[in-house]
Amino acid sequence: MEELQDVQLTEIKPLLTDGNSARNFQDFDCQEHDIETAHGVLHVTMRGTPKGNRPVILTYHDIGLNHKSCFNTLFNYEDMHEITHHFAVCHVDAPGHQEAAPPFPTGYQYPTMDELAEMLTAVLTHLNIQSVIGIGVGAGAYILTRFALNHQNLVEGLVLINIDPCAKGWMDWAASKLTGWTTNLDDIVLGHHFSSDELENNLELIQTYRLHIAQDINQENLHLFVNAYNSRRDLEIERPIIGVNETTVKTLQCSALLVVGDTSPAVEAVVECNSRLNPTNTTLLKMADCGGLPQVVQPGKLTEAFKYFVQGMGYMFRTNLPAVSMTRLARARTTSVSSVGSGDIARNQSPTVSQADAIRNRETSQGAARTMEVSC
C-alpha cells in the first residue's frame, strides 16, 4: 500500500459501564427458531422482520462465544439502532452454542466448516430471506465467506472481523495439540481472541469473557467447534487481475469490509485475506487502540464504519423532507453518517454515497486499482 487514508470516526462508549453490564446480554423484539438442516439443527434469533426487498443482516459468532456475547454490545449501541430500524437482523448460533445448550450425544459428528456454511441455506429458506449482509467474527467470518463463495446471489455484502482465509498448517496443528495438552480450553480460546497485551492489562474484559466461556458455553460442544475450525480448508480465494481474469477467478463478488484491531492476534491473517480479494470492492479497516474484539471494545467506530459500508453499497437513509435528506447525504460524503435520519431507506446506485467510496472511486480514477486501507 502506498499510504493509508484516514477517516474520522466518532469516539466510542466503554464496554463496561458497571460491574455486571457486560454480562447482561439482552435481546429485544426477538423470535427464536430451531431450524432443521441437512447437517443438524441451527438455533437462530431474528430481531425485527424482513422489510421489502432489503437484505437481512446475518451474523455469525466466533469460537467460545454465542450471538449475544459476540454481538449484543454492537447491536445495542445507540447509533446502531439507526441501521437496525431499517434492516432485520438474523443471529446464528453455531450448533450447541446457544444459551443452555445441552451436550451432544456420544459419537455425534460435528459439522465441518463447509457444512456449517451450507446449513445457512436452510435458514434463509425457512425464514424467507432473499439476501443478506453478513457480519462474522473469526470462525463466523470464515463460515460466511464460504457461504458467499458458494451462493454469490444471496450475499450483498460482508463485514469480516478477524478473518483467516488459510487452512491451519501442519506446524500450527501440532503446536495447538501440544498447547492443548498443557493449557485448558478456556485459555486457548482467550489466546485466539485477545493479544498478549490485552490478556495482561485489560483484566476486567478478560475476566468477563473467561467467565462467559467457562460458565455459559458447553465445554464439550465448544471443543467440537474449535476442532472443526482448526480443521478448516483454505478458502482458495485469489485476487483477480483487472481486465484479465476477474470473471473466472474464485473470489468474493460482493462488497467486503475487513476489520481488525491493530493489536489483534489476527492482524497477519486479515492482511493476507485482504491481499487475495478484489481491490475494487474491498476495504481493510485497521482500528487503532483496539485488540481482538472490535465489535465489543469499539462498537462506536465499527458502527460508523458499517454505516459507510451500507451507504457504499447504495442504501441511503432519507426523510420525507428533500432538503434535509440532501444535507445528510452531503455529510455522509464528507465527514460521517452519524446524521442518518429515521425515515425510509432506499436503494440508490450512485457510487458516491459515502466518504469511503468517494476515496475508493478517486483512487480508481487515478489508476490505483488496489484495496483501500483505512486506519481509525
Side-chain angles (χ1 to χ4, degrees), residues 108-123:
Y108 172 79
Q109 185 65 43
Y110 201 83
T112 65
M113 296 296 283
D114 289 4
E115 290 170 343
L116 289 171
E118 279 307 304
M119 293 168 79
L120 296 177
T121 58
V123 172

Side-chain angles (χ1 to χ4, degrees), residues 1 138 141-142 144-146 149 158-166 229 234-240 250-252 256-260 266-279 281-284 286 371 373:
M1 297 297 169
Y142 178 100
L144 290 179
T145 303
R146 176 68 70 186
L149 290 171
L158 287 175
V159 178
L160 304 172
I161 303 169
N162 299 338
I163 184 171
D164 187 344
C166 305
Y229 182 58
D234 194 289
L235 286 173
E236 298 177 337
I237 51 178
E238 181 181 348
R239 169 164 287 194
K250 182 179 181 181
T251 192
L252 290 174
L257 173 64
L258 309 187
V259 181
V260 68
V267 169
E268 290 185 8
V270 175
V271 171
E272 170 65 20
C273 186
N274 175 61
S275 71
R276 297 189 188 189
L277 292 176
N278 190 331
N281 61 6
T282 305
T283 300
L284 172 60
K286 291 182 181 178
T371 304
E373 256 185 57

Side-chain angles (χ1 to χ4, degrees), residues 2 36 89 99 171 174 179 236 245 255 278 307 320 330 332:
E2 297 175 2
E36 290 280 353
V89 181
E99 287 187 325
M171 291 299 292
T179 301
E236 298 177 337
N245 65 350
S255 299
N278 190 331
K307 287 179 183 178
N320 293 325

